[in-house]
Amino acid sequence: MKRMFVLMALLGITGLQNLLAQAHKFYYLNSDSSQFVLTDTGAKYLAALPLRCIQQEYPNKVNHVAISDSSQLLTPKQLHPAFYGCFDWHSTVHGHWMLVALLKKFPHLPEATIIRRKLNENITPENIAREAAYFNTPLNSSFERTYGWAWLLQLQKELLGWNNPDAIHWRKTLEPLCDTVVNLWMRFLPKQTYPNRTGVHPNTAFGMVLALDYARAAHNTVFEQALINAAKKLFLNDKKIPALWEPDGTDFLSPSLEEADLMRRVLNKTQFLQWFNQFYTPAGLQHLTVLPVVSDRNDLTIVHLDGLALSRSWCMQGIAKLLPNNDPRKKMLQRSAIAHMNASLPHIASGSYGGEHWLASFAVYALLQ
């Protein structure tokens, strides 16, 4: 029997920090799956955050290798004419993904017109050509590897699944940049001897999750098989992962849960369960249900821990779907997914740009899984 739980009404009264006021979330749980459902009101309030920043150039954390005075003095928009806002390149990219995802799911969103206008202004053939060319500048071929690469492909995946005139135009425009990233990734995979098990941007498993989802949506079987082979080489023999060491102080990803989220895509159900049973100790998995403590949401890296709660939630949702109904870990992960979502949703619009420029994307990704 399907049961519906009202998770929460997101907090707030007035001002930017209260953009999530009155946005209700619902959680549905039946015998074999869990699903969060984003309401129209929630979509409206969440969309407001990236709409404010995808064309906001400053403040900006520029990740650029300069080889001369002239290249050092370029502004963020000169370097990246499509993805210059939201504090950094990758946050701008996943802000675009989020707006596309919301527009696709909520076509009558009041903000639809402004979303389309901003995307049309940013995603132009000229801008995307310059973005692609940037990866060919000296010492910048590894720019945003692999976190930004992954979100770019996630954006394209969202567009590939949408038969809409604007979506078709945007995905065709993005193709040269996506092709550039796929080619870079294909060259990188054979060289990656060891995975990055960090809880921040270079995390190998998270990047491969989004890349694999894109490869399958794009029917790029060569890229898909390369990712599967690499995932097995890097992770298949992992056992008794030290999950008790998590989290680090600035994590927005769980290294172990992201790995499990990848392997559930790579292995069939029987193989995954065998792997998962050896991957976690009972104490390690239980430890990950403890909510992260976010001591200062004005700190640009401590606020990462709000993102950790959201990314744990989406990983737990996905993993729980593959566990047998009589497996006590299934309900444990489902309940923990709710608790983690519930802990961070009220703080997405905190009034601090350190969280507001990116957390809404994590929330939407978790809610739409």
Side-chain angles (χ1 to χ4, degrees), residues 200-213:
V200 289
H201 307 89
N203 181 278
T204 296
F206 173 75
M208 293 177 76
V209 162
L210 297 192
L212 189 56
D213 287 351

Side-chain angles (χ1 to χ4, degrees), residues 255-293:
S256 64
L257 285 172
E258 291 298 338
E259 183 175 338
D261 199 37
L262 171 64
M263 297 308 284
R264 75 178 178 89
R265 289 165 165 82
V266 168
L267 305 173
N268 65 40
K269 184 174 181 179
T270 300
Q271 293 169 335
F272 174 74
L273 291 175
Q274 291 173 344
W275 177 88
F276 188 72
N277 289 338
Q278 298 182 75
F279 183 63
Y280 278 115
T281 65
L285 189 60
Q286 179 70 46
H287 173 74
L288 296 178
T289 67
V290 178
L291 297 174
V293 175

Side-chain angles (χ1 to χ4, degrees), residues 6 9 13 33 43 50 62 64 103 185 188 233-234 241 251 256 282 285 289 303 311 321-322 325 366:
V6 178
I13 302 173
S33 67
V62 180
H64 170 63
L103 194 60
W185 217 321
F188 173 63
K233 179 187 75 172
L234 296 172
I241 198 77
D251 282 357
S256 64
L285 189 60
T289 67
V303 76
S311 65
K321 290 176 183 178
L322 271 69
N325 292 333

Side-chain angles (χ1 to χ4, degrees), residues 167-197:
I168 293 169
H169 168 70
W170 294 328
R171 73 175 181 241
K172 287 182 176 179
T173 304
L174 283 169
E175 277 179 5
L177 181 56
C178 292
D179 290 346
T180 296
V181 163
V182 169
N183 289 334
L184 287 169
W185 217 321
M186 288 289 289
R187 294 203 296 269
F188 173 63
L189 286 172
K191 299 186 293 183
Q192 189 172 16
T193 307
Y194 311 104
N196 285 306
R197 301 183 187 274

Side-chain angles (χ1 to χ4, degrees), residues 3-4 12 35 54-55 92 122 171 236 255 305 330 363:
R3 300 173 62 194
M4 181 175 72
Q35 179 183 2
I54 63 170
Q55 293 181 338
T92 315
N122 289 6
R171 73 175 181 241
L236 187 59
L305 293 162
K330 186 182 187 80

